[in-house]
Amino acid sequence: GEDVEQSLFLSVREGDSSVINCTYTDSSSTYLYWYKQEPGAGLQLLTYIFSNMDMKQDQRLTVLLNKKDKHLSLRIADTQTGDSAIYFCAESMDQAGTALIFGKGTTLSVSS
Amino acid sequence: GAGVSQTPSNKVTEKGKYVELRCDPISGHTALYWYRQSLGQGPEFLIYFQGTGAADDSGLPNDRFFAVRPEGSVSTLKIQRTERGDSAVYLCASREGGGSITQYFGPGTRLTVL
Protein backbone atom coordinates (compact mmCIF):
# COMPACT_ATOMS: atom_id res chain seq x y z
CA GLY A 1 0.00 0.00 0.00
CA GLU A 2 0.90 3.63 -0.13
CA ASP A 3 2.52 5.24 2.87
CA VAL A 4 4.43 8.45 3.46
CA GLU A 5 6.56 8.76 6.59
CA GLN A 6 8.01 11.89 8.17
CA SER A 7 9.71 12.69 11.44
CA LEU A 8 7.28 14.60 13.65
CA PHE A 9 9.37 17.48 15.01
CA LEU A 10 12.37 19.60 14.10
CA SER A 11 13.75 22.47 16.11
CA VAL A 12 16.33 24.89 14.69
CA ARG A 13 17.76 28.31 15.46
CA GLU A 14 17.12 31.30 13.26
CA GLY A 15 19.68 31.56 10.49
CA ASP A 16 20.48 27.84 10.48
CA SER A 17 19.48 25.46 7.71
CA SER A 18 16.55 23.10 8.26
CA VAL A 19 16.32 19.69 6.64
CA ILE A 20 12.99 17.88 6.69
CA ASN A 21 12.98 14.27 5.54
CA CYS A 22 10.33 12.04 4.06
CA THR A 23 10.17 8.46 2.85
CA TYR A 24 7.52 7.00 0.60
CA THR A 25 6.75 3.46 -0.42
CA ASP A 26 5.16 3.59 -3.84
CA SER A 27 7.80 3.58 -6.55
CA SER A 28 5.22 4.56 -9.16
CA SER A 29 4.82 8.01 -7.62
CA THR A 30 5.13 10.59 -10.36
CA TYR A 31 5.19 13.84 -8.43
CA LEU A 32 6.37 14.57 -4.91
CA TYR A 33 5.34 17.71 -3.10
CA TRP A 34 6.08 19.82 -0.07
CA TYR A 35 3.19 21.72 1.50
CA LYS A 36 3.30 24.20 4.39
CA GLN A 37 0.50 24.62 6.91
CA GLU A 38 0.42 27.53 9.34
CA PRO A 39 -2.02 27.68 12.27
CA GLY A 40 -5.52 28.49 11.09
CA ALA A 41 -4.45 28.66 7.46
CA GLY A 42 -4.89 26.38 4.48
CA LEU A 43 -2.20 24.21 2.97
CA GLN A 44 0.22 26.14 0.80
CA LEU A 45 2.18 24.39 -1.93
CA LEU A 46 5.88 25.23 -1.48
CA THR A 47 7.42 23.21 -4.25
CA TYR A 48 7.22 19.92 -6.08
CA ILE A 49 9.58 17.64 -7.98
CA PHE A 50 8.96 15.29 -10.85
CA SER A 51 10.16 11.76 -10.27
CA ASN A 52 12.76 11.88 -13.04
CA MET A 53 14.60 14.71 -11.29
CA ASP A 54 17.19 14.46 -8.52
CA MET A 55 17.16 18.02 -7.28
CA LYS A 56 15.17 21.21 -7.54
CA GLN A 57 16.12 24.58 -6.13
CA ASP A 58 13.77 27.50 -5.59
CA GLN A 59 15.22 30.47 -3.70
CA ARG A 60 15.81 29.28 -0.11
CA LEU A 61 14.30 25.86 -0.79
CA THR A 62 16.18 22.83 -2.10
CA VAL A 63 14.44 19.54 -2.75
CA LEU A 64 16.47 16.35 -3.08
CA LEU A 65 14.99 13.11 -4.38
CA ASN A 66 16.66 9.72 -4.02
CA LYS A 67 14.37 7.50 -6.03
CA LYS A 68 16.33 4.33 -5.27
CA ASP A 69 15.82 4.79 -1.52
CA LYS A 70 12.40 6.47 -1.96
CA HIS A 71 13.67 9.39 0.10
CA LEU A 72 12.71 13.03 -0.30
CA SER A 73 14.12 15.97 1.62
CA LEU A 74 13.40 19.67 1.88
CA ARG A 75 16.21 22.00 2.87
CA ILE A 76 15.35 25.53 3.97
CA ALA A 77 18.37 27.82 3.97
CA ASP A 78 18.67 30.71 6.44
CA THR A 79 15.58 29.59 8.37
CA GLN A 80 13.45 32.41 9.73
CA THR A 81 10.91 32.49 12.56
CA GLY A 82 8.23 32.90 9.88
CA ASP A 83 9.15 29.45 8.60
CA SER A 84 7.70 27.90 11.78
CA ALA A 85 4.85 25.70 10.57
CA ILE A 86 3.92 22.12 9.80
CA TYR A 87 5.48 20.77 6.61
CA PHE A 88 3.79 17.95 4.74
CA CYS A 89 5.36 15.66 2.21
CA ALA A 90 2.89 14.30 -0.38
CA GLU A 91 2.97 12.05 -3.41
CA SER A 92 0.69 11.50 -6.37
CA MET A 93 0.49 8.66 -8.81
CA ASP A 94 -0.18 10.49 -12.04
CA GLN A 95 0.54 13.61 -13.96
CA ALA A 96 -2.77 15.20 -13.03
CA GLY A 97 -1.93 15.27 -9.34
CA THR A 98 -4.90 13.12 -8.52
CA ALA A 99 -5.45 12.03 -4.92
CA LEU A 100 -2.47 13.38 -3.05
CA ILE A 101 -1.20 11.07 -0.32
CA PHE A 102 0.20 13.00 2.61
CA GLY A 103 2.53 12.21 5.43
CA LYS A 104 1.62 13.15 9.00
CA GLY A 105 3.65 16.33 8.83
CA THR A 106 6.81 17.66 10.47
CA THR A 107 6.42 20.53 12.92
CA LEU A 108 9.28 22.97 12.41
CA SER A 109 10.00 25.25 15.34
CA VAL A 110 12.41 28.14 14.74
CA SER A 111 13.82 29.95 17.75
CA SER A 112 15.47 33.36 17.65
CA GLY B 1 -9.06 36.46 -8.01
CA ALA B 2 -10.21 34.83 -4.83
CA GLY B 3 -8.87 31.55 -3.60
CA VAL B 4 -10.81 28.47 -2.59
CA SER B 5 -13.42 29.30 0.00
CA GLN B 6 -15.23 26.97 2.36
CA THR B 7 -18.27 27.51 4.51
CA PRO B 8 -18.91 27.33 7.33
CA SER B 9 -15.48 27.72 8.90
CA ASN B 10 -16.71 25.90 11.98
CA LYS B 11 -19.62 23.52 12.45
CA VAL B 12 -20.69 21.96 15.72
CA THR B 13 -23.37 19.31 15.56
CA GLU B 14 -24.78 16.50 17.62
CA LYS B 15 -24.26 12.82 17.00
CA GLY B 16 -26.79 11.50 14.54
CA LYS B 17 -27.43 14.82 12.77
CA TYR B 18 -26.96 15.61 9.09
CA VAL B 19 -24.43 18.21 7.94
CA GLU B 20 -23.50 19.88 4.67
CA LEU B 21 -20.14 21.48 4.00
CA ARG B 22 -19.68 23.80 1.04
CA CYS B 23 -16.69 24.48 -1.19
CA ASP B 24 -16.32 27.30 -3.72
CA PRO B 25 -13.35 26.53 -5.94
CA ILE B 26 -11.22 29.03 -7.80
CA SER B 27 -13.18 30.27 -10.80
CA GLY B 28 -12.50 28.20 -13.89
CA HIS B 29 -10.92 25.28 -12.05
CA THR B 30 -12.35 22.07 -13.40
CA ALA B 31 -11.00 19.65 -10.81
CA LEU B 32 -12.13 19.66 -7.19
CA TYR B 33 -10.99 17.51 -4.27
CA TRP B 34 -12.19 16.85 -0.74
CA TYR B 35 -9.78 15.75 1.98
CA ARG B 36 -10.24 15.14 5.71
CA GLN B 37 -7.58 16.03 8.28
CA SER B 38 -7.82 14.59 11.76
CA LEU B 39 -5.85 16.05 14.64
CA GLY B 40 -2.14 15.34 14.31
CA GLN B 41 -2.53 13.70 10.91
CA GLY B 42 -2.00 14.68 7.33
CA PRO B 43 -4.95 15.22 5.01
CA GLU B 44 -6.63 12.05 3.72
CA PHE B 45 -8.25 11.97 0.31
CA LEU B 46 -12.02 11.54 0.16
CA ILE B 47 -13.27 12.28 -3.36
CA TYR B 48 -12.21 13.93 -6.62
CA PHE B 49 -14.47 15.62 -9.18
CA GLN B 50 -13.58 16.35 -12.77
CA GLY B 51 -16.33 18.69 -13.88
CA THR B 52 -19.66 17.49 -12.55
CA GLY B 53 -18.77 13.84 -12.15
CA ALA B 54 -16.95 12.06 -9.36
CA ALA B 55 -13.82 10.69 -11.03
CA ASP B 56 -12.62 8.92 -7.88
CA ASP B 57 -14.63 8.42 -4.70
CA SER B 58 -12.47 5.65 -3.29
CA GLY B 59 -11.60 7.68 -0.19
CA LEU B 60 -15.13 8.07 1.13
CA PRO B 61 -15.11 6.04 4.36
CA ASN B 62 -18.68 4.70 4.14
CA ASP B 63 -22.07 5.38 2.65
CA ARG B 64 -22.87 8.10 5.18
CA PHE B 65 -20.60 10.37 3.16
CA PHE B 66 -21.70 11.78 -0.17
CA ALA B 67 -20.59 14.72 -2.30
CA VAL B 68 -22.06 16.53 -5.28
CA ARG B 69 -20.95 19.13 -7.79
CA PRO B 70 -24.06 19.62 -9.94
CA GLU B 71 -22.86 22.51 -12.11
CA GLY B 72 -19.17 21.78 -12.14
CA SER B 73 -18.30 24.60 -9.77
CA VAL B 74 -19.50 24.64 -6.14
CA SER B 75 -19.38 21.33 -4.32
CA THR B 76 -21.19 20.13 -1.22
CA LEU B 77 -19.97 17.35 1.05
CA LYS B 78 -22.87 15.74 2.88
CA ILE B 79 -22.55 13.60 5.99
CA GLN B 80 -25.55 11.68 7.31
CA ARG B 81 -26.00 10.34 10.83
CA THR B 82 -22.80 11.99 12.03
CA GLU B 83 -20.59 10.16 14.49
CA ARG B 84 -18.02 11.52 16.94
CA GLY B 85 -15.29 9.98 14.80
CA ASP B 86 -16.30 12.27 11.93
CA SER B 87 -14.87 15.23 13.85
CA ALA B 88 -12.03 16.65 11.75
CA VAL B 89 -11.11 19.51 9.47
CA TYR B 90 -12.58 18.99 6.01
CA LEU B 91 -10.41 20.51 3.30
CA CYS B 92 -11.35 21.34 -0.25
CA ALA B 93 -8.88 21.91 -3.07
CA SER B 94 -9.24 22.87 -6.70
CA ARG B 95 -6.99 22.49 -9.72
CA GLU B 96 -7.10 24.28 -13.05
CA GLY B 97 -7.17 21.14 -15.16
CA GLY B 98 -5.36 20.30 -18.35
CA GLY B 99 -1.66 19.86 -17.58
CA SER B 100 -1.74 21.76 -14.28
CA ILE B 101 -0.78 19.68 -11.25
CA THR B 102 -1.10 22.25 -8.47
CA GLN B 103 -3.95 21.78 -6.02
CA TYR B 104 -4.96 24.97 -4.22
CA PHE B 105 -6.44 24.37 -0.79
CA GLY B 106 -9.14 26.24 1.07
CA PRO B 107 -8.92 27.06 4.79
CA GLY B 108 -11.13 24.11 5.72
CA THR B 109 -14.27 23.53 7.76
CA ARG B 110 -13.71 22.32 11.30
CA LEU B 111 -16.47 19.84 12.10
CA THR B 112 -17.09 18.89 15.71
CA VAL B 113 -19.59 16.14 16.49
CA LEU B 114 -20.67 16.13 20.13
Side-chain angles (χ1 to χ4, degrees):
Chain A
E2 304 139 345
D3 202 8
V4 177
E5 299 282 344
Q6 298 179 241
S7 53
L8 295 182
F9 297 102
L10 177 65
S11 181
V12 301
R13 297 174 77 166
E14 193 173 24
D16 289 349
S17 291
S18 306
V19 180
I20 303 171
N21 295 300
C22 167
T23 57
Y24 59 98
T25 55
D26 197 319
S27 58
S28 63
S29 294
T30 305
Y31 285 93
L32 295 134
Y33 308 79
W34 286 103
Y35 278 84
K36 177 183 181 182
Q37 188 174 45
E38 295 177 275
L43 285 160
Q44 174 195 355
L45 178 65
L46 287 178
T47 187
Y48 65 89
I49 188 167
F50 188 49
S51 58
N52 68 354
M53 297 169 66
D54 299 322
M55 186 182 86
K56 181 177 181 181
Q57 187 149 4
D58 184 0
Q59 299 182 342
R60 294 191 296 123
L61 305 178
T62 303
V63 178
L64 295 177
L65 175 60
N66 181 328
K67 202 171 178 185
K68 173 176 170 289
D69 294 337
K70 300 191 187 72
H71 182 265
L72 182 74
S73 68
L74 174 69
R75 178 177 181 268
I76 305 172
D78 187 25
T79 314
Q80 303 297 306
T81 54
D83 294 324
S84 294
I86 303 175
Y87 290 80
F88 291 95
C89 171
E91 60 177 349
S92 68
M93 300 303 132
D94 63 36
Q95 193 169 358
T98 303
L100 294 174
I101 298 164
F102 286 86
K104 291 186 179 182
T106 299
T107 299
L108 175 64
S109 174
V110 183
S111 57
S112 56
Chain B
V4 177
S5 62
Q6 294 185 244
T7 53
S9 54
N10 280 284
K11 176 71 177 178
V12 180
T13 191
E14 293 179 343
K15 181 175 177 296
K17 300 287 189 183
Y18 168 83
V19 296
E20 289 189 351
L21 311 179
R22 176 186 168 109
C23 172
D24 282 82
I26 294 171
S27 177
H29 281 197
T30 59
L32 185 146
Y33 306 77
W34 284 99
Y35 293 84
R36 176 168 72 172
Q37 186 175 18
S38 300
L39 192 63
Q41 304 293 317
E44 293 178 300
F45 168 73
L46 295 176
I47 187 168
Y48 156 51
F49 286 91
Q50 183 58 48
T52 60
D56 182 356
D57 65 357
S58 62
L60 294 178
N62 52 59
D63 61 7
R64 295 187 298 105
F65 288 75
F66 189 71
V68 295
R69 195 186 184 200
E71 297 178 359
S73 177
V74 171
S75 176
T76 305
L77 178 66
K78 307 181 181 196
I79 310 174
Q80 297 178 319
R81 304 183 304 280
T82 51
E83 299 177 358
R84 292 195 180 90
D86 298 335
S87 296
V89 176
Y90 289 81
L91 297 168
C92 176
S94 70
R95 179 175 58 84
E96 189 172 2
S100 171
I101 66 160
T102 304
Q103 295 185 24
Y104 296 89
F105 282 80
T109 293
R110 181 175 297 278
L111 175 66
T112 302
V113 181
L114 301 177

